[in-house]
Amino acid sequence: MTDPTTPDVACHLNVVMPDLEDPGLPAALDALAALGYARIVMPPLDPHATDARKVRRLLSDRGLGVVTIAGQRPDADVSSEDPDIRRAGAKSLQRLVEFTADLGGDQMNGVPYGLFGHPRGRTSEETFRRAASAVGAVADYAHAHGVRMTFEVLNRYETSVVNTAEQAREFVAASGSDHLQIHLDTFHMAVEEEDLEGAIRHALPKLGYLEVGQSGRGDVSSGAVDLPRVLASAFRDGYGGRVGVEAFSRSVLRPEAGDMLAIWRSPYADGMAIAAAAKRLVDEAWAAAGASEEMSG
């Protein structure tokens, strides 16, 4: 269980290693738990090819929770015009909900509303509403299984469905679900939002996950985004939900994952040092927000 007086922070596994097959996994999980992380964000997993009981045991033995990542495929996509492909997309999301519960997780992030990758054009209103309705139904299904479902707001180069906090609120409204929540990532926000703090404030009623990522995808302690300010502002505004840490380096990722995410450089080699610095940054922002509230009170 997490301490309600401290932030609930999750670290993406790819910050420190490429996948679950890495022989250093147990030691890395020990180190992340020792740093104070509450849970691990998994890279996309195949429920049919992953030993859920083994992974659950590895995490639970260290007091760690798990967050999964959802996605869609060309043959299984809830935004498709083809009803068979839409049904396959919804079914794949439902299966991942069940898999998340099997892992002992209570949250599923990701891109459930369409295909990840450079968009072919602007998303039509019909497609937007079709995807929202389907995702909302899955969010209700997830809620019934004890899983919170969020959807990540991506930049314009990775989707044309949802790029801003304002669009995310519209997507939630169109979903018809009381259980669907928003996932904001400061990396993507730095591309799309004029005011990061204001965007977080706008999303706050439906914000279920706030992810820390820098402009260069590397060390969160340096870059174009003023993360201490943004985080402290979010905490002062009342955000008490989960915070995620994400950084990517070509030297850590599998080549195919680096290609998919357009990670062409290696901004770091020691992922654990990045994870430690990120955890300190979040904790310091939390403390700064608390100190600010005490002074104003």
Side-chain angles (χ1 to χ4, degrees), residues 106-167:
D106 64 357
Q107 183 160 337
M108 183 172 82
N109 291 347
V111 187
Y113 48 74
L115 300 179
F116 173 89
H118 193 76
R120 296 178 180 177
R122 186 174 183 272
T123 296
S124 69
E125 184 67 22
E126 180 184 0
T127 300
F128 181 90
R129 295 194 173 279
R130 181 167 59 226
S133 178
V135 171
V138 177
D140 292 342
Y141 182 83
H143 178 74
H145 284 74
V147 175
R148 172 195 302 170
M149 183 176 181
T150 76
F151 63 97
E152 185 170 8
V153 181
L154 302 178
N155 70 68
R156 70 189 71 185
Y157 306 110
E158 296 180 358
T159 186
S160 63
V161 179
V162 186
N163 300 132
T164 67
E166 182 176 3
Q167 289 176 316

Short mmCIF file of all heavy atoms in Angstrom, two decimals, residues 106-167:
data_model
loop_
_atom_site.label_atom_id
_atom_site.label_comp_id
_atom_site.label_asym_id
_atom_site.label_seq_id
_atom_site.Cartn_x
_atom_site.Cartn_y
_atom_site.Cartn_z
N ASP A 106 -4.30 -2.37 -11.17
CA ASP A 106 -5.58 -1.67 -11.07
C ASP A 106 -5.65 -0.47 -12.00
O ASP A 106 -6.51 0.39 -11.86
CB ASP A 106 -5.86 -1.24 -9.63
CG ASP A 106 -4.86 -0.23 -9.11
OD1 ASP A 106 -3.89 0.11 -9.83
OD2 ASP A 106 -5.02 0.23 -7.97
N GLN A 107 -4.71 -0.41 -12.98
CA GLN A 107 -4.76 0.70 -13.93
C GLN A 107 -4.21 0.26 -15.28
O GLN A 107 -3.20 -0.43 -15.37
CB GLN A 107 -3.95 1.90 -13.43
CG GLN A 107 -4.02 3.10 -14.35
CD GLN A 107 -3.64 4.41 -13.66
OE1 GLN A 107 -3.72 4.52 -12.45
NE2 GLN A 107 -3.24 5.39 -14.43
N MET A 108 -4.91 0.71 -16.33
CA MET A 108 -4.50 0.44 -17.71
C MET A 108 -4.40 1.77 -18.44
O MET A 108 -5.39 2.46 -18.63
CB MET A 108 -5.51 -0.48 -18.40
CG MET A 108 -5.11 -0.88 -19.81
SD MET A 108 -6.21 -2.16 -20.52
CE MET A 108 -7.58 -1.13 -21.08
N ASN A 109 -3.19 2.13 -18.86
CA ASN A 109 -2.95 3.34 -19.63
C ASN A 109 -2.89 3.00 -21.11
O ASN A 109 -3.27 1.92 -21.53
CB ASN A 109 -1.63 3.99 -19.19
CG ASN A 109 -1.69 4.57 -17.79
OD1 ASN A 109 -2.75 4.71 -17.19
ND2 ASN A 109 -0.54 4.92 -17.25
N GLY A 110 -2.38 3.92 -21.90
CA GLY A 110 -2.12 3.61 -23.30
C GLY A 110 -2.93 4.41 -24.29
O GLY A 110 -3.49 5.47 -23.98
N VAL A 111 -2.99 3.88 -25.50
CA VAL A 111 -3.66 4.54 -26.63
C VAL A 111 -4.75 3.61 -27.13
O VAL A 111 -4.58 2.89 -28.12
CB VAL A 111 -2.65 4.87 -27.75
CG1 VAL A 111 -3.32 5.70 -28.83
CG2 VAL A 111 -1.44 5.60 -27.19
N PRO A 112 -5.91 3.59 -26.46
CA PRO A 112 -6.97 2.66 -26.82
C PRO A 112 -7.89 3.16 -27.91
O PRO A 112 -8.78 2.43 -28.36
CB PRO A 112 -7.74 2.51 -25.51
CG PRO A 112 -7.62 3.86 -24.88
CD PRO A 112 -6.24 4.35 -25.24
N TYR A 113 -7.71 4.41 -28.35
CA TYR A 113 -8.68 5.04 -29.24
C TYR A 113 -8.36 4.95 -30.72
O TYR A 113 -9.09 5.45 -31.55
CB TYR A 113 -8.86 6.51 -28.85
CG TYR A 113 -7.56 7.27 -28.65
CD1 TYR A 113 -6.78 7.66 -29.72
CD2 TYR A 113 -7.14 7.62 -27.36
CE1 TYR A 113 -5.61 8.36 -29.53
CE2 TYR A 113 -5.96 8.32 -27.16
CZ TYR A 113 -5.20 8.69 -28.25
OH TYR A 113 -4.03 9.37 -28.05
N GLY A 114 -7.23 4.33 -31.08
CA GLY A 114 -6.86 4.24 -32.48
C GLY A 114 -5.42 3.79 -32.63
O GLY A 114 -4.77 3.39 -31.66
N LEU A 115 -4.90 3.90 -33.83
CA LEU A 115 -3.56 3.43 -34.12
C LEU A 115 -2.52 4.46 -33.69
O LEU A 115 -2.69 5.65 -33.92
CB LEU A 115 -3.41 3.14 -35.62
CG LEU A 115 -4.36 2.08 -36.19
CD1 LEU A 115 -4.12 1.92 -37.69
CD2 LEU A 115 -4.19 0.75 -35.47
N PHE A 116 -1.45 3.97 -33.10
CA PHE A 116 -0.31 4.80 -32.74
C PHE A 116 0.58 4.98 -33.96
O PHE A 116 0.89 4.02 -34.66
CB PHE A 116 0.47 4.15 -31.60
CG PHE A 116 1.76 4.84 -31.26
CD1 PHE A 116 1.79 5.87 -30.34
CD2 PHE A 116 2.95 4.46 -31.87
CE1 PHE A 116 2.98 6.51 -30.01
CE2 PHE A 116 4.14 5.08 -31.56
CZ PHE A 116 4.16 6.11 -30.62
N GLY A 117 0.99 6.19 -34.22
CA GLY A 117 1.89 6.43 -35.34
C GLY A 117 1.49 7.66 -36.12
O GLY A 117 0.43 8.26 -35.89
N HIS A 118 2.33 8.06 -37.05
CA HIS A 118 2.08 9.29 -37.80
C HIS A 118 0.72 9.21 -38.50
O HIS A 118 0.49 8.31 -39.31
CB HIS A 118 3.17 9.53 -38.83
CG HIS A 118 3.15 10.90 -39.41
ND1 HIS A 118 3.61 12.01 -38.72
CD2 HIS A 118 2.69 11.36 -40.60
CE1 HIS A 118 3.45 13.09 -39.46
NE2 HIS A 118 2.89 12.72 -40.60
N PRO A 119 -0.18 10.13 -38.17
CA PRO A 119 -1.53 10.05 -38.74
C PRO A 119 -1.56 10.38 -40.23
O PRO A 119 -0.75 11.17 -40.73
CB PRO A 119 -2.32 11.10 -37.93
CG PRO A 119 -1.28 12.05 -37.44
CD PRO A 119 -0.03 11.25 -37.23
N ARG A 120 -2.52 9.77 -40.92
CA ARG A 120 -2.66 10.01 -42.36
C ARG A 120 -3.43 11.29 -42.65
O ARG A 120 -3.40 11.80 -43.77
CB ARG A 120 -3.38 8.83 -43.00
CG ARG A 120 -2.61 7.52 -42.91
CD ARG A 120 -3.39 6.38 -43.53
NE ARG A 120 -2.66 5.12 -43.44
CZ ARG A 120 -3.14 3.96 -43.86
NH1 ARG A 120 -4.36 3.91 -44.39
NH2 ARG A 120 -2.41 2.86 -43.76
N GLY A 121 -4.14 11.78 -41.65
CA GLY A 121 -4.91 13.00 -41.85
C GLY A 121 -5.65 13.35 -40.57
O GLY A 121 -5.48 12.72 -39.53
N ARG A 122 -6.46 14.37 -40.67
CA ARG A 122 -7.24 14.84 -39.52
C ARG A 122 -8.33 13.82 -39.19
O ARG A 122 -8.96 13.24 -40.08
CB ARG A 122 -7.86 16.20 -39.84
CG ARG A 122 -8.57 16.86 -38.68
CD ARG A 122 -9.02 18.26 -39.09
NE ARG A 122 -9.65 18.95 -37.97
CZ ARG A 122 -10.94 18.87 -37.67
NH1 ARG A 122 -11.75 18.11 -38.42
NH2 ARG A 122 -11.43 19.53 -36.64
N THR A 123 -8.57 13.61 -37.90
CA THR A 123 -9.62 12.70 -37.47
C THR A 123 -10.98 13.37 -37.61
O THR A 123 -11.17 14.50 -37.13
CB THR A 123 -9.41 12.27 -36.01
OG1 THR A 123 -8.19 11.53 -35.92
CG2 THR A 123 -10.55 11.41 -35.50
N SER A 124 -11.91 12.71 -38.26
CA SER A 124 -13.25 13.28 -38.44
C SER A 124 -14.02 13.24 -37.12
O SER A 124 -13.72 12.46 -36.21
CB SER A 124 -14.01 12.50 -39.50
OG SER A 124 -14.33 11.19 -39.02
N GLU A 125 -15.04 14.07 -37.03
CA GLU A 125 -15.90 14.10 -35.85
C GLU A 125 -16.58 12.73 -35.65
O GLU A 125 -16.72 12.27 -34.52
CB GLU A 125 -16.95 15.19 -35.99
CG GLU A 125 -17.85 15.37 -34.78
CD GLU A 125 -17.10 15.90 -33.56
OE1 GLU A 125 -16.02 16.51 -33.75
OE2 GLU A 125 -17.59 15.70 -32.44
N GLU A 126 -16.97 12.12 -36.76
CA GLU A 126 -17.62 10.80 -36.67
C GLU A 126 -16.67 9.76 -36.07
O GLU A 126 -17.05 8.98 -35.20
CB GLU A 126 -18.08 10.35 -38.05
CG GLU A 126 -18.76 8.99 -38.06
CD GLU A 126 -19.12 8.53 -39.46
OE1 GLU A 126 -18.83 9.28 -40.43
OE2 GLU A 126 -19.68 7.42 -39.58
N THR A 127 -15.42 9.76 -36.53
CA THR A 127 -14.44 8.81 -36.01
C THR A 127 -14.13 9.09 -34.55
O THR A 127 -14.01 8.16 -33.73
CB THR A 127 -13.14 8.88 -36.84
OG1 THR A 127 -13.44 8.57 -38.21
CG2 THR A 127 -12.11 7.91 -36.32
N PHE A 128 -14.01 10.37 -34.21
CA PHE A 128 -13.75 10.77 -32.82
C PHE A 128 -14.84 10.22 -31.90
O PHE A 128 -14.54 9.60 -30.87
CB PHE A 128 -13.70 12.30 -32.76
CG PHE A 128 -13.42 12.88 -31.40
CD1 PHE A 128 -12.13 13.13 -30.99
CD2 PHE A 128 -14.46 13.19 -30.53
CE1 PHE A 128 -11.86 13.68 -29.74
CE2 PHE A 128 -14.21 13.73 -29.28
CZ PHE A 128 -12.90 13.98 -28.89
N ARG A 129 -16.08 10.41 -32.27
CA ARG A 129 -17.19 9.98 -31.42
C ARG A 129 -17.34 8.46 -31.41
O ARG A 129 -17.68 7.87 -30.38
CB ARG A 129 -18.49 10.66 -31.87
CG ARG A 129 -18.44 12.16 -31.67
CD ARG A 129 -19.80 12.83 -31.78
NE ARG A 129 -19.68 14.23 -31.41
CZ ARG A 129 -19.67 14.67 -30.15
NH1 ARG A 129 -19.78 13.81 -29.16
NH2 ARG A 129 -19.54 15.96 -29.89
N ARG A 130 -17.04 7.84 -32.54
CA ARG A 130 -17.09 6.38 -32.60
C ARG A 130 -16.05 5.77 -31.66
O ARG A 130 -16.35 4.84 -30.90
CB ARG A 130 -16.84 5.93 -34.04
CG ARG A 130 -16.91 4.43 -34.25
CD ARG A 130 -16.97 4.12 -35.73
NE ARG A 130 -15.84 4.65 -36.47
CZ ARG A 130 -15.92 5.31 -37.62
NH1 ARG A 130 -17.10 5.56 -38.17
NH2 ARG A 130 -14.84 5.74 -38.24
N ALA A 131 -14.84 6.31 -31.72
CA ALA A 131 -13.78 5.80 -30.85
C ALA A 131 -14.09 6.08 -29.37
O ALA A 131 -13.89 5.22 -28.51
CB ALA A 131 -12.45 6.44 -31.23
N ALA A 132 -14.59 7.27 -29.08
CA ALA A 132 -14.91 7.63 -27.70
C ALA A 132 -15.96 6.71 -27.12
O ALA A 132 -15.85 6.25 -25.97
CB ALA A 132 -15.37 9.08 -27.63
N SER A 133 -17.00 6.43 -27.89
CA SER A 133 -18.06 5.55 -27.41
C SER A 133 -17.53 4.16 -27.09
O SER A 133 -17.85 3.56 -26.05
CB SER A 133 -19.18 5.47 -28.45
OG SER A 133 -20.20 4.59 -28.04
N ALA A 134 -16.70 3.62 -27.99
CA ALA A 134 -16.14 2.29 -27.79
C ALA A 134 -15.21 2.25 -26.58
O ALA A 134 -15.25 1.32 -25.77
CB ALA A 134 -15.38 1.85 -29.04
N VAL A 135 -14.37 3.27 -26.44
CA VAL A 135 -13.44 3.32 -25.30
C VAL A 135 -14.21 3.49 -23.99
O VAL A 135 -13.86 2.90 -22.96
CB VAL A 135 -12.41 4.45 -25.51
CG1 VAL A 135 -11.58 4.66 -24.25
CG2 VAL A 135 -11.49 4.12 -26.69
N GLY A 136 -15.27 4.29 -24.02
CA GLY A 136 -16.09 4.45 -22.83
C GLY A 136 -16.69 3.13 -22.37
O GLY A 136 -16.74 2.84 -21.15
N ALA A 137 -17.15 2.31 -23.31
CA ALA A 137 -17.71 1.01 -22.96
C ALA A 137 -16.65 0.12 -22.32
O ALA A 137 -16.93 -0.61 -21.35
CB ALA A 137 -18.30 0.34 -24.21
N VAL A 138 -15.42 0.18 -22.83
CA VAL A 138 -14.34 -0.61 -22.25
C VAL A 138 -13.98 -0.08 -20.86
O VAL A 138 -13.66 -0.85 -19.95
CB VAL A 138 -13.11 -0.64 -23.17
CG1 VAL A 138 -11.96 -1.40 -22.51
CG2 VAL A 138 -13.45 -1.26 -24.51
N ALA A 139 -14.03 1.23 -20.68
CA ALA A 139 -13.75 1.81 -19.37
C ALA A 139 -14.75 1.32 -18.32
O ALA A 139 -14.38 1.04 -17.18
CB ALA A 139 -13.77 3.34 -19.44
N ASP A 140 -15.99 1.20 -18.72
CA ASP A 140 -17.00 0.65 -17.80
C ASP A 140 -16.72 -0.82 -17.51
O ASP A 140 -16.88 -1.28 -16.37
CB ASP A 140 -18.39 0.81 -18.40
CG ASP A 140 -18.83 2.27 -18.50
OD1 ASP A 140 -18.22 3.12 -17.80
OD2 ASP A 140 -19.77 2.56 -19.26
N TYR A 141 -16.30 -1.55 -18.53
CA TYR A 141 -15.93 -2.96 -18.36
C TYR A 141 -14.73 -3.06 -17.40
O TYR A 141 -14.70 -3.93 -16.53
CB TYR A 141 -15.58 -3.56 -19.72
CG TYR A 141 -15.22 -5.01 -19.73
CD1 TYR A 141 -16.21 -5.99 -19.76
CD2 TYR A 141 -13.89 -5.43 -19.74
CE1 TYR A 141 -15.89 -7.34 -19.78
CE2 TYR A 141 -13.55 -6.77 -19.76
CZ TYR A 141 -14.56 -7.73 -19.78
OH TYR A 141 -14.23 -9.07 -19.80
N ALA A 142 -13.76 -2.17 -17.58
CA ALA A 142 -12.59 -2.16 -16.71
C ALA A 142 -12.98 -1.87 -15.27
O ALA A 142 -12.48 -2.52 -14.33
CB ALA A 142 -11.58 -1.13 -17.21
N HIS A 143 -13.85 -0.88 -15.08
CA HIS A 143 -14.29 -0.53 -13.73
C HIS A 143 -14.91 -1.74 -13.03
O HIS A 143 -14.66 -1.98 -11.84
CB HIS A 143 -15.30 0.61 -13.80
CG HIS A 143 -15.84 1.01 -12.47
ND1 HIS A 143 -15.11 1.73 -11.54
CD2 HIS A 143 -17.07 0.79 -11.90
CE1 HIS A 143 -15.84 1.94 -10.47
NE2 HIS A 143 -17.03 1.38 -10.65
N ALA A 144 -15.68 -2.53 -13.77
CA ALA A 144 -16.30 -3.72 -13.20
C ALA A 144 -15.27 -4.77 -12.80
O ALA A 144 -15.55 -5.64 -11.97
CB ALA A 144 -17.29 -4.32 -14.20
N HIS A 145 -14.06 -4.68 -13.40
CA HIS A 145 -12.98 -5.61 -13.07
C HIS A 145 -11.96 -5.00 -12.11
O HIS A 145 -10.88 -5.55 -11.91
CB HIS A 145 -12.27 -6.05 -14.35
CG HIS A 145 -13.04 -7.06 -15.16
ND1 HIS A 145 -14.16 -6.71 -15.90
CD2 HIS A 145 -12.87 -8.40 -15.32
CE1 HIS A 145 -14.63 -7.80 -16.49
NE2 HIS A 145 -13.89 -8.82 -16.16
N GLY A 146 -12.29 -3.85 -11.54
CA GLY A 146 -11.39 -3.22 -10.58
C GLY A 146 -10.20 -2.53 -11.21
O GLY A 146 -9.16 -2.35 -10.55
N VAL A 147 -10.33 -2.14 -12.48
CA VAL A 147 -9.23 -1.51 -13.21
C VAL A 147 -9.64 -0.12 -13.66
O VAL A 147 -10.69 0.06 -14.27
CB VAL A 147 -8.83 -2.36 -14.44
CG1 VAL A 147 -7.76 -1.66 -15.27
CG2 VAL A 147 -8.32 -3.73 -13.99
N ARG A 148 -8.80 0.86 -13.38
CA ARG A 148 -9.02 2.22 -13.87
C ARG A 148 -8.44 2.32 -15.27
O ARG A 148 -7.30 1.92 -15.52
CB ARG A 148 -8.30 3.22 -12.96
CG ARG A 148 -8.30 4.65 -13.47
CD ARG A 148 -7.29 5.50 -12.74
NE ARG A 148 -7.53 5.54 -11.31
CZ ARG A 148 -6.68 6.06 -10.42
NH1 ARG A 148 -5.55 6.59 -10.83
NH2 ARG A 148 -6.96 6.06 -9.14
N MET A 149 -9.21 2.87 -16.19
CA MET A 149 -8.75 3.01 -17.57
C MET A 149 -8.50 4.48 -17.90
O MET A 149 -9.36 5.34 -17.69
CB MET A 149 -9.79 2.44 -18.54
CG MET A 149 -9.34 2.48 -20.00
SD MET A 149 -10.55 1.70 -21.08
CE MET A 149 -9.75 1.87 -22.67
N THR A 150 -7.31 4.75 -18.40
CA THR A 150 -6.98 6.10 -18.87
C THR A 150 -6.61 6.03 -20.35
O THR A 150 -6.35 4.95 -20.88
CB THR A 150 -5.80 6.71 -18.09
OG1 THR A 150 -4.58 6.13 -18.55
CG2 THR A 150 -5.94 6.53 -16.59
N PHE A 151 -6.58 7.17 -21.00
CA PHE A 151 -6.10 7.25 -22.38
C PHE A 151 -5.10 8.38 -22.45
O PHE A 151 -5.30 9.46 -21.89
CB PHE A 151 -7.25 7.45 -23.37
CG PHE A 151 -8.00 8.75 -23.19
CD1 PHE A 151 -7.70 9.86 -23.97
CD2 PHE A 151 -8.99 8.87 -22.23
CE1 PHE A 151 -8.38 11.05 -23.82
CE2 PHE A 151 -9.69 10.06 -22.06
CZ PHE A 151 -9.38 11.15 -22.85
N GLU A 152 -3.98 8.12 -23.14
CA GLU A 152 -2.91 9.11 -23.20
C GLU A 152 -3.15 10.12 -24.32
O GLU A 152 -3.48 9.76 -25.45
CB GLU A 152 -1.56 8.44 -23.40
CG GLU A 152 -0.41 9.43 -23.33
CD GLU A 152 0.96 8.79 -23.28
OE1 GLU A 152 1.04 7.55 -23.45
OE2 GLU A 152 1.95 9.51 -23.07
N VAL A 153 -2.93 11.37 -23.99
CA VAL A 153 -3.01 12.47 -24.96
C VAL A 153 -1.64 12.60 -25.62
O VAL A 153 -0.65 12.90 -24.95
CB VAL A 153 -3.41 13.77 -24.25
CG1 VAL A 153 -3.52 14.91 -25.26
CG2 VAL A 153 -4.73 13.59 -23.49
N LEU A 154 -1.59 12.37 -26.92
CA LEU A 154 -0.32 12.37 -27.65
C LEU A 154 -0.15 13.61 -28.52
O LEU A 154 -1.12 14.31 -28.80
CB LEU A 154 -0.25 11.14 -28.56
CG LEU A 154 -0.39 9.77 -27.90
CD1 LEU A 154 -0.36 8.67 -28.97
CD2 LEU A 154 0.70 9.53 -26.86
N ASN A 155 1.08 13.83 -28.94
CA ASN A 155 1.32 14.98 -29.82
C ASN A 155 0.87 14.68 -31.25
O ASN A 155 0.55 13.54 -31.61
CB ASN A 155 2.80 15.40 -29.78
CG ASN A 155 3.71 14.39 -30.45
OD1 ASN A 155 3.68 14.20 -31.66
ND2 ASN A 155 4.52 13.70 -29.64
N ARG A 156 0.85 15.70 -32.07
CA ARG A 156 0.28 15.63 -33.43
C ARG A 156 1.00 14.65 -34.35
O ARG A 156 0.44 14.22 -35.36
CB ARG A 156 0.33 17.03 -34.05
CG ARG A 156 1.74 17.49 -34.39
CD ARG A 156 1.78 18.94 -34.79
NE ARG A 156 1.54 19.81 -33.64
CZ ARG A 156 1.43 21.13 -33.73
NH1 ARG A 156 1.51 21.72 -34.91
NH2 ARG A 156 1.23 21.85 -32.65
N TYR A 157 2.26 14.31 -34.02
CA TYR A 157 3.02 13.41 -34.88
C TYR A 157 2.73 11.94 -34.58
O TYR A 157 3.19 11.06 -35.33
CB TYR A 157 4.53 13.69 -34.71
CG TYR A 157 4.86 15.13 -34.95
CD1 TYR A 157 5.25 15.96 -33.91
CD2 TYR A 157 4.76 15.69 -36.23
CE1 TYR A 157 5.54 17.30 -34.12
CE2 TYR A 157 5.05 17.03 -36.46
CZ TYR A 157 5.43 17.83 -35.39
OH TYR A 157 5.71 19.15 -35.61
N GLU A 158 1.98 11.68 -33.52
CA GLU A 158 1.68 10.30 -33.13
C GLU A 158 0.20 9.97 -33.22
O GLU A 158 -0.17 8.79 -33.18
CB GLU A 158 2.21 10.04 -31.72
CG GLU A 158 3.74 10.16 -31.65
CD GLU A 158 4.31 9.90 -30.27
OE1 GLU A 158 3.52 9.65 -29.34
OE2 GLU A 158 5.54 9.93 -30.13
N THR A 159 -0.66 10.96 -33.31
CA THR A 159 -2.09 10.75 -33.50
C THR A 159 -2.73 12.07 -33.90
O THR A 159 -2.17 13.15 -33.66
CB THR A 159 -2.77 10.23 -32.22
OG1 THR A 159 -4.13 9.90 -32.50
CG2 THR A 159 -2.76 11.28 -31.11
N SER A 160 -3.91 11.99 -34.51
CA SER A 160 -4.71 13.19 -34.74
C SER A 160 -6.04 13.09 -34.01
O SER A 160 -6.93 13.91 -34.24
CB SER A 160 -4.95 13.40 -36.25
OG SER A 160 -5.70 12.32 -36.80
N VAL A 161 -6.17 12.12 -33.12
CA VAL A 161 -7.44 11.93 -32.40
C VAL A 161 -7.54 12.89 -31.22
O VAL A 161 -8.50 13.67 -31.11
CB VAL A 161 -7.59 10.47 -31.92
CG1 VAL A 161 -8.91 10.29 -31.15
CG2 VAL A 161 -7.54 9.50 -33.09
N VAL A 162 -6.55 12.85 -30.32
CA VAL A 162 -6.58 13.67 -29.11
C VAL A 162 -5.19 14.22 -28.86
O VAL A 162 -4.26 13.47 -28.57
CB VAL A 162 -7.02 12.84 -27.87
CG1 VAL A 162 -7.18 13.75 -26.67
CG2 VAL A 162 -8.31 12.08 -28.15
N ASN A 163 -5.03 15.55 -28.98
CA ASN A 163 -3.72 16.18 -28.81
C ASN A 163 -3.62 17.13 -27.63
O ASN A 163 -2.50 17.51 -27.24
CB ASN A 163 -3.33 16.95 -30.07
CG ASN A 163 -3.25 16.10 -31.31
OD1 ASN A 163 -3.81 16.45 -32.35
ND2 ASN A 163 -2.58 14.95 -31.24
N THR A 164 -4.74 17.57 -27.08
CA THR A 164 -4.72 18.56 -26.01
C THR A 164 -5.63 18.15 -24.85
O THR A 164 -6.51 17.28 -25.01
CB THR A 164 -5.20 19.93 -26.52
OG1 THR A 164 -6.59 19.84 -26.86
CG2 THR A 164 -4.39 20.39 -27.72
N ALA A 165 -5.44 18.80 -23.72
CA ALA A 165 -6.29 18.52 -22.56
C ALA A 165 -7.74 18.87 -22.85
O ALA A 165 -8.66 18.19 -22.40
CB ALA A 165 -5.78 19.32 -21.35
N GLU A 166 -7.95 19.95 -23.62
CA GLU A 166 -9.32 20.33 -23.97
C GLU A 166 -9.99 19.24 -24.80
O GLU A 166 -11.15 18.87 -24.56
CB GLU A 166 -9.32 21.65 -24.73
CG GLU A 166 -10.71 22.16 -25.08
CD GLU A 166 -10.69 23.52 -25.76
OE1 GLU A 166 -9.60 24.04 -26.01
OE2 GLU A 166 -11.79 24.04 -26.03
N GLN A 167 -9.26 18.72 -25.79
CA GLN A 167 -9.81 17.63 -26.59
C GLN A 167 -10.05 16.38 -25.75
O GLN A 167 -11.01 15.64 -25.97
CB GLN A 167 -8.87 17.30 -27.75
CG GLN A 167 -8.81 18.36 -28.83
CD GLN A 167 -7.78 18.02 -29.89
OE1 GLN A 167 -6.65 17.60 -29.59
NE2 GLN A 167 -8.14 18.20 -31.15
#
